[in-house]
Amino acid sequence: MTNEFTPDEGPAQDVAWIVDALRWPARPDELDGGERTVNAMAAAIAGVKPTTLPHSRHGRRRIGVLVGIACVGIGGVAAAGAASVSRLDIVTPVSDEQPATTADSVLRPTTVTTTTSTPAPVPYVVSHDDNEGDEGNDRRDEDGTTDPGVAPAVVSSDEQATTTSFECAEGNHGTTVSSVAHATPPGSDHAAAIVTAAHSDCDSDDPDETSTTTVVIDTTAVPDTSVPPHTDDNRTARNANAGNDNGNGNRDSGNANAGNANAGNANAGNANAGNANAGTGNGNAGNGNAENGNANAGKSNDPNGHANGKGNAVEPAD
Amino acid sequence: MGRGRGDFDVLVVLAAGGDRDALGELWCGHQSSLLRYLRGRGCDDFEDVASQVWIDVARGLPGFVGGEVEFRKWLFTIAHHRHIDEVRRQDRRIRAEAAKPAPRVTSPHDNGDLAAALHLIRRLPPDMADAVLLRIVADLSVADVAEIMGRREGTVRVLVHRGLQRLGTMVPPRLESWESGGTHGSSRSLDLVR
């Protein structure tokens, strides 16, 4: 006991026994239920960690690892599902010079999710000029500025082009389909392009040779980037892609997204999930899907606000 | 309480990381005084409130900075506010408890001494009881008690003094065994007086 009573407040001898009784060491009956309380405390700590940034490094890392593990598991299932989908034989080899936008992260195999503590970004940009460099982490606005928080409705950066090539490396079919969906402007050709991409065979018969899928998209139709991201067309697109993005798509639109998302479109869900989520380490989708089937993101997003894509795996962006 | 500052810091860090042993050690070291404080404040559901206090502590542990004294002050600050919330919910029940007759105090060193002491303290005005409990049970300094209660230090001293005085008027005549020093901890209590 560290605090002595001062003379003006000191206890009279009449009450000394009260002081003693109050300061007497803990009695066994006072320490009942310790295990239950400690368990509750541990649970409280586990629950509070994501929100206490300055002191929750361990917790954030642990959550990231758990999300990553979930993504890997879901990604494997999704990949297996995608492999069973029949594909059209429209695969054509491409030159060694790959578009800069087919960044490593785009074609990253699902095993990359082992780097869950630093979630890899999911690029939205599918077709770019070669001089854009490796911009896998960010999407570019029309003025060239990066805006990692908003995904453009139409991603194709070359409006003069009438065709866009997409690589489907190492069997990452879902990502390819996703890319096509994003690169295709809303319109009548949108769904067809996605279907084509989805049915394309991007797996290489020769494991030593990386095959690619070339999808012809008529971007001359209406590459209108001003179209709101939540129109029915867009939503359809996202559904189709689906998978591709659970993570990003959601993050992009914030509201419409996720939800729209997967719902319904089985393919989407499966196809991508695997790729996008796992590959990029975007937890959400992964989580969401795991628990809610294809409805994904929806749930995962909620608690994390907008941060879906990258953020979920670690923490809310704000 | 004999723990060094460094040891306690380590304990807090471990506890903040979810280490159950560390949490258990924190709990064991303060649970009894927390319960006594809540009981002395007349909290009927003192065990539930104490559990809630510990959960609050757990939630705030990652942000806690300080040694054992600071931890104790923080713990009892939470308990103080928790009790206020409890009082607002169960004001009627607490008054009914205070109106109950005091248990028969036969000896300060029988098994009922703690219960008797707490019962007497519950008969004090709330501020007095709070000040006395925070000073004696929580073992906090006058300054810390004043901060927790939102009072000035002089006020706290007066509250403690008058509270102890009033307790002295409530206590039945001392037993011979108590006066002869045959009780546990009696010498320690007398040291506190001086």
Side-chain angles (χ1 to χ4, degrees):
Chain A
M1 300 299 162
T2 58
N3 294 305
E4 296 287 331
F5 289 103
T6 56
D8 60 336
E9 64 173 359
Q13 291 190 19
D14 289 340
V15 296
W17 70 269
I18 295 179
V19 174
D20 245 12
L22 293 176
R23 287 183 168 182
W24 198 247
R27 302 186 315 192
D29 62 305
E30 292 177 316
L31 298 180
D32 287 345
E35 186 176 354
R36 188 175 63 244
T37 304
V38 168
N39 288 339
M41 292 171 71
I45 289 175
V48 78
K49 275 182 176 178
T51 60
T52 56
L53 298 179
H55 307 281
S56 61
R57 292 175 188 167
H58 297 294
R60 282 155 41 189
R61 189 178 306 139
R62 186 180 304 169
I63 290 172
V65 170
L66 292 176
V67 170
I69 292 171
C71 289
V72 170
I74 294 171
V77 174
S84 64
V85 177
S86 62
R87 298 160 184 159
L88 299 178
D89 187 12
I90 59 173
V91 178
T92 59
V94 296
S95 65
D96 293 340
E97 182 179 359
Q98 298 178 352
T101 55
T102 56
D104 293 342
S105 57
V106 173
L107 304 176
R108 184 174 300 172
T110 57
T111 54
V112 178
T113 54
T114 52
T115 59
T116 53
S117 60
T118 55
V122 178
Y124 271 77
V125 181
V126 176
S127 74
H128 290 277
D129 295 333
D130 289 344
N131 61 0
E132 285 189 0
D134 187 3
E135 293 292 336
N137 291 353
D138 297 321
R139 288 154 283 161
R140 287 179 179 272
D141 294 339
E142 292 179 354
D143 59 357
T145 60
T146 57
D147 182 3
V150 177
V154 177
V155 187
S156 175
S157 61
D158 186 358
E159 296 184 0
Q160 300 301 323
T162 56
T163 62
T164 304
S165 296
F166 302 96
E167 273 195 351
C168 205
E170 301 183 27
N172 203 339
H173 185 66
T175 300
T176 300
V177 177
S178 164
S179 302
V180 172
H182 275 285
T184 308
S188 59
D189 293 333
H190 184 75
I194 293 167
V195 169
T196 302
H199 289 166
S200 66
D201 185 0
C202 48
D203 283 342
S204 174
D205 294 334
D206 183 359
D208 295 334
E209 178 181 354
T210 300
S211 64
T212 59
T213 301
T214 299
V215 180
V216 177
I217 302 172
D218 184 7
T219 57
T220 59
V222 186
D224 183 5
T225 57
S226 65
V227 175
H230 303 304
T231 62
D232 289 341
D233 286 344
N234 286 333
R235 187 175 304 170
T236 301
R238 287 208 174 119
N239 283 339
N241 309 329
N244 117 25
D245 303 315
N246 295 332
N248 289 332
N250 296 336
R251 176 219 226 147
D252 166 20
S253 36
N255 20 9
N257 50 4
N260 75 39
N262 313 323
N265 290 333
N267 44 358
N270 60 40
N272 339 325
N275 294 333
N277 300 333
T280 59
N282 285 334
N284 299 342
N287 277 342
N289 293 334
E291 296 182 2
N292 303 308
N294 52 15
N296 58 4
K299 262 204 163 170
S300 296
N301 292 333
D302 287 344
N304 297 301
H306 49 278
N308 259 341
K310 300 173 183 176
N312 288 339
V314 179
E315 61 177 321
D318 290 338
Chain B
M1 305 206 180
R3 187 192 306 277
R5 168 68 185 264
D7 293 341
F8 193 81
D9 289 347
V10 172
L11 183 65
V12 168
V13 169
L14 291 174
D19 185 285
R20 289 171 186 270
D21 291 338
L23 288 171
E25 194 168 344
L26 275 180
W27 182 85
C28 284
H30 300 85
Q31 169 71 355
S32 62
S33 54
L34 177 61
L35 286 179
R36 292 169 189 179
Y37 170 76
L38 293 171
R39 290 176 66 189
R41 294 304 316 274
C43 185
D44 287 343
D45 302 323
F46 55 89
E47 288 180 329
D48 291 341
V49 175
S51 296
Q52 192 58 53
V53 169
W54 281 113
I55 290 176
D56 292 344
V57 167
R59 287 177 177 152
L61 264 181
F64 173 77
V65 176
E68 186 169 10
V69 173
E70 289 80 8
F71 179 81
R72 211 161 54 238
K73 177 184 174 186
W74 177 50
L75 172 69
F76 283 94
T77 299
I78 295 173
H80 176 80
H81 292 300
R82 276 284 173 190
H83 175 256
I84 290 175
D85 294 341
E86 187 72 8
V87 167
R88 288 170 179 162
R89 282 195 298 266
Q90 303 178 354
D91 192 33
R92 190 183 307 171
R93 289 170 53 189
I94 290 174
R95 271 190 246 122
E97 174 70 18
K100 289 179 183 176
R104 176 173 165 265
V105 180
T106 57
S107 170
H109 51 92
D110 64 9
N111 289 333
D113 56 354
L114 176 60
L118 292 173
H119 186 87
L120 292 176
I121 289 177
R122 282 198 296 268
R123 296 172 64 183
L124 293 174
D127 279 357
M128 274 187 198
D130 203 7
V132 168
L133 288 167
L134 288 173
R135 279 289 280 140
I136 298 176
V137 175
D139 197 26
L140 295 174
S141 68
V142 172
D144 288 342
V145 174
E147 189 174 338
I148 292 174
M149 295 180 65
R151 300 293 191 93
R152 291 184 300 182
E153 292 185 22
T155 304
V156 169
R157 283 197 182 89
V158 170
L159 286 172
V160 172
H161 176 72
R162 291 181 179 172
L164 293 173
Q165 269 189 333
R166 193 171 295 193
L167 284 174
T169 64
M170 299 175 187
V171 177
R174 289 174 295 180
L175 302 178
E176 290 301 319
S177 59
W178 171 252
E179 289 184 334
S180 63
T183 65
H184 65 260
S186 59
S187 58
R188 189 163 133 238
S189 298
L190 294 175
D191 287 341
L192 285 172
V193 178
R194 300 185 176 92

